[in-house]
């Protein structure tokens, strides 16, 4: 059964390009509600912890360097079928392969600097949300 939350991060390239507002607008216009939001700067260690699952991949070091290169904006988003719908909205990991109109196609430069993260499963959405937000920082009821 699909759950209704996903975790996104507006990555350091998004913040450097001053695109937070444009990207959040597109996310909201697609029907997502922001349940939690903060701007933080990850360290190499906290970026590494978040991307632990990619530890053995050749791009892991580069990914941790990039994700700790400036502030980023993690958010918990709510919508029916949130994980799948959000991945459709952001497009493929590599912007060159992303569909027209998707966030990565519009704004991303490369596979590494691709503007935004989106959870890939309901289970990871819950794990990743807890990585950034204690329950006390989530809006309890958006109605
Ligand atoms: P994200 O959705 O945040 O999840 C893992 C990230 O690893 C991915 O987005 C990319 O930014 C990054 N990534 C995946 N493949 C590569 C690659 N070949 N080179 C650099 N970064 C990559």
């Amino acid at each position: 059964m699909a759950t209704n939350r996903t975790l996104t991060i507006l990555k350091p390239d998004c913040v450097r390009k001053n695109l937070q507002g444009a990207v959040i607008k597109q996310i909201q216009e697609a029907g997502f509600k922001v349940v939690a939001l903060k701007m933080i700067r990850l360290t190499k260690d906290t970026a590494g912890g978040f991307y632990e699952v990619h530890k053995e991949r050749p791009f892991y070091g580069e990914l941790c360097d990039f994700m700790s290169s400036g502030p980023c904006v993690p958010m918990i988003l709510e919508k029916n079928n949130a994980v799948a719908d959000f991945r459709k909205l952001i497009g493929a990991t590599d912007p060159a392969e992303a569909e027209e109109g998707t966030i990565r196609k519009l704004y991303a430069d490369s596979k590494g600097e691709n503007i935004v993260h989106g959870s890939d499963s309901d289970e990871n959405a819950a794990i990743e949300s807890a990585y950034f937000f204690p329950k006390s920082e989530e809006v309890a009821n958006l109605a």
Side-chain angles (χ1 to χ4, degrees):
M1 192 186 79
T3 61
N4 60 2
R5 287 188 174 188
T6 191
L7 184 282
T8 184
I9 307 173
L10 308 185
K11 296 185 178 185
D13 55 335
C14 182
V15 176
R16 264 195 289 278
K17 291 175 172 178
N18 214 20
L19 287 170
Q20 305 97 303
V23 172
I24 291 172
K25 183 169 189 277
Q26 192 167 347
I27 290 169
Q28 290 179 310
E29 285 178 351
F32 292 87
K33 291 196 166 153
V34 178
V35 177
L37 176 155
K38 65 173 82 169
M39 184 154 77
I40 57 169
R41 182 158 183 174
L42 297 173
T43 64
K44 279 190 195 180
D45 278 354
T46 51
F50 182 79
Y51 283 115
E52 178 88 31
V53 64
H54 295 304
K55 202 169 182 156
E56 304 305 324
R57 309 284 284 274
F59 57 81
Y60 182 70
E62 193 184 315
L63 178 60
C64 296
D65 284 345
F66 168 62
M67 289 301 294
S68 58
S69 67
C72 66
V73 182
M75 300 190 281
I76 299 174
L77 303 174
E78 190 168 278
K79 181 185 182 295
N80 286 339
N81 201 30
V83 167
D85 285 2
F86 191 71
R87 286 173 75 80
K88 194 158 195 293
L89 179 69
I90 64 179
T93 304
D94 184 346
E97 293 166 13
E99 277 186 43
E100 290 299 328
T102 59
I103 290 170
R104 284 169 170 162
K105 183 69 171 187
L106 285 167
Y107 301 122
D109 291 333
S110 67
K111 218 184 229 183
E113 303 205 5
N114 64 355
I115 296 287
V116 67
H117 167 80
S119 304
D120 65 2
S121 66
D122 292 339
E123 186 191 4
N124 283 336
I127 293 168
E128 292 175 0
S129 296
Y131 196 80
F132 288 108
F133 298 101
K135 284 283 171 205
S136 59
E137 290 183 21
E138 293 180 23
V139 175
N141 182 356
L142 286 171

